[in-house]
């Protein structure tokens, strides 16, 4: 504002100086009109003012159009923000419902003694029955696909057969996997460092992306144990996916193919993953 005021005063000073130095009288002719004995400075300033006015008149439509576009963009932005907020609230609500339902299932499984005490996951003894139940829902159209991931983390440094430290490591890994668990997934553990994840509704590409996410969160940074020590991991992941276009009703085949994929991933080296379609 101060800069604008200084500029306005400077223009006024120049105009006054121009008027004082150009006070000659002139005659003006415009078509049938005639003006006699007009000051040169007054004429020049008047024509300059008219030029500025015409310039403003020309720019006003563009200015109004720009302001209208800005106003419309703001309204669209507010509308999108409201929609995004509503979607976020809907997702949070669904996540809370899923968490509550999962917690109730966990309590039921705990009462049935089906949970691994170290990780809090379902014992891998239930993998076969769970997979069979999921496969039975596919022909009925309730599930578009079923997948299994076998996650095999290995510490880069030997734990020297320290059972307590191994259990602390598997517990820490379990917490990381639980934090990155999708809504339609369950985790199983054999209490010896092998984790199984059942997935529904994901195609092969999505399962690969999810497996890559799990591998990244376990290998990008060392895992912190409950005593504060850190352990770097190598992680191999194998998996198998079946859907209505690649169907199977045999849970043993799906599990066997996932185990085969894990073995191939381990054979290829450290931090490898392999996911395949399964058909009878």
């Amino acid at each position: 504002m101060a800069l604008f005021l200084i500029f306005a005063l400077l223009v006024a000073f120049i105009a006054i100086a121009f008027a004082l130095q150009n006070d000659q009288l002139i005659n003006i002719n415009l078509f049938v009109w005639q003006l006699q004995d007009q000051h040169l400075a007054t004429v020049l300033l008047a024509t300059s003012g008219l030029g500025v006015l015409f310039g403003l008149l020309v720019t006003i439509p563009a200015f109004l159009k720009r302001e209208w576009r800005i106003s419309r963009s703001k309204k669209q932005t507010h509308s999108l923000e409201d929609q995004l907020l509503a979607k976020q609230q809907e997702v949070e609500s669904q996540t809370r419902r899923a968490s509550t339902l999962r917690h109730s299932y966990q309590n039921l499984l705990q009462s049935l003694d089906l949970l691994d005490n170290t990780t809090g996951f379902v014992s891998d003894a239930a993998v076969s029955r769970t997979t069979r139940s999921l496969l039975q829902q596919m022909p009925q159209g309730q599930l578009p696909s079923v997948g299994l991931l076998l996650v095999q983390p290995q510490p880069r440094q030997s734990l020297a057969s320290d059972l307590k430290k191994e259990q602390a490591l598997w517990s820490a890994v379990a917490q990381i996997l639980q934090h990155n668990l999708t809504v339609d997934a369950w985790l199983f553990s054999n209490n010896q460092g092998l984790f199984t994840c059942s997935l529904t509704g994901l195609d092969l590409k999505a399962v690969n992306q999810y497996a890559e996410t799990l591998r990244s969160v376990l290998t990008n940074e060392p895992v912190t144990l409950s005593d504060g020590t850190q352990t770097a991991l190598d992680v191999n992941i194998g998996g198998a996916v079946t859907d209505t276009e690649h169907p199977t009703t045999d849970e043993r085949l799906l599990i066997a193919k996932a185990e085969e994929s894990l073995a191939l991933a381990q054979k290829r080296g450290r931090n490898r993953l392999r996911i395949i379609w399964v058909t009878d």
Side-chain angles (χ1 to χ4, degrees):
M1 181 63 71
L3 184 62
F4 178 78
L5 180 60
I6 293 173
F7 178 75
L9 292 174
L10 180 61
V11 171
F13 174 77
I14 293 175
I16 294 172
F18 178 80
L20 292 176
Q21 294 179 1
N22 297 272
D23 56 350
Q24 298 91 343
L25 297 178
I26 61 174
N27 296 327
I28 300 175
N29 297 309
L30 179 62
F31 300 115
V32 298
W33 297 280
Q34 292 184 351
L35 296 175
Q36 297 180 349
D37 298 333
Q38 300 296 318
H39 289 281
L40 175 62
T42 303
V43 173
L44 292 177
L45 290 176
T47 54
S48 299
L50 289 175
V52 172
L53 179 61
F54 291 148
L56 290 175
L57 292 175
V58 170
T59 58
I60 283 177
F63 175 78
L64 293 177
K65 187 175 181 180
R66 186 184 65 178
E67 290 297 318
W68 179 76
R69 286 179 177 177
I70 292 174
S71 177
R72 186 178 62 175
S73 298
K74 287 182 178 179
K75 290 180 180 179
Q76 292 177 345
T77 301
H78 291 320
S79 177
L80 291 174
E81 288 176 349
D82 292 339
Q83 294 178 19
L84 178 60
L85 180 60
K87 289 295 183 182
Q88 289 177 340
Q89 292 175 347
E90 181 181 352
V91 170
E92 291 175 358
S93 177
Q94 292 179 352
T95 302
R96 285 194 297 268
R97 288 198 297 268
S99 179
T100 301
L101 184 60
R102 189 181 297 277
H103 185 67
S104 65
Y105 285 160
Q106 291 284 95
N107 292 336
L108 177 60
L109 293 170
Q110 181 69 46
S111 65
L112 296 174
D113 197 25
L114 292 176
L115 293 184
D116 173 23
N117 294 328
T118 300
T119 62
F121 292 166
V122 182
S123 171
D124 69 341
V127 170
S128 180
R129 285 175 290 175
T130 303
T131 305
R132 185 187 313 122
S133 175
L134 293 175
L135 292 177
Q136 289 173 352
Q137 299 178 51
M138 285 184 57
Q140 303 171 11
Q142 298 178 8
L143 292 177
S145 66
V146 176
L148 282 182
L149 288 180
L150 300 181
V151 182
Q152 180 73 71
Q154 291 288 342
R156 294 179 184 175
Q157 296 180 348
S158 174
L159 299 181
S161 301
D162 189 336
L163 181 59
K164 289 185 177 179
K165 201 161 188 176
E166 281 188 1
Q167 291 179 339
L169 175 60
W170 305 143
S171 177
V173 170
Q175 291 179 12
I176 296 174
L177 293 176
Q178 183 70 47
H179 181 71
N180 291 274
L181 185 66
T182 64
V183 174
D184 297 325
W186 280 92
L187 289 168
F188 305 83
S189 171
N190 69 346
N191 200 26
Q192 297 178 359
L194 178 63
F195 299 89
T196 303
C197 179
S198 67
L199 300 164
T200 58
L202 301 180
D203 60 15
L204 185 64
K205 181 178 180 181
V207 173
N208 266 289
Q209 292 174 343
Y210 183 58
E212 181 63 44
T213 298
L214 294 182
R215 183 179 63 176
S216 298
V217 297
L218 289 172
T219 58
N220 285 348
E221 296 181 359
V223 176
T224 303
L225 307 186
S226 56
D227 60 0
T229 60
Q230 293 186 327
T231 302
L233 296 177
D234 291 320
V235 178
N236 292 99
I237 301 177
V241 182
T242 179
D243 64 4
T244 53
E245 296 182 1
H246 309 79
T248 182
T249 57
D250 188 352
E251 75 280 359
R252 294 171 297 178
L253 177 61
L254 186 62
I255 295 172
K257 289 298 183 180
E259 292 174 345
E260 179 183 332
S261 296
L262 177 60
L264 290 173
Q266 292 172 329
K267 187 176 181 180
R268 291 170 59 190
R270 301 185 306 170
N271 298 320
R272 302 285 184 167
L273 63 86
R274 179 178 174 83
I275 316 295
I276 62 172
W277 286 116
V278 173
T279 58
D280 286 329

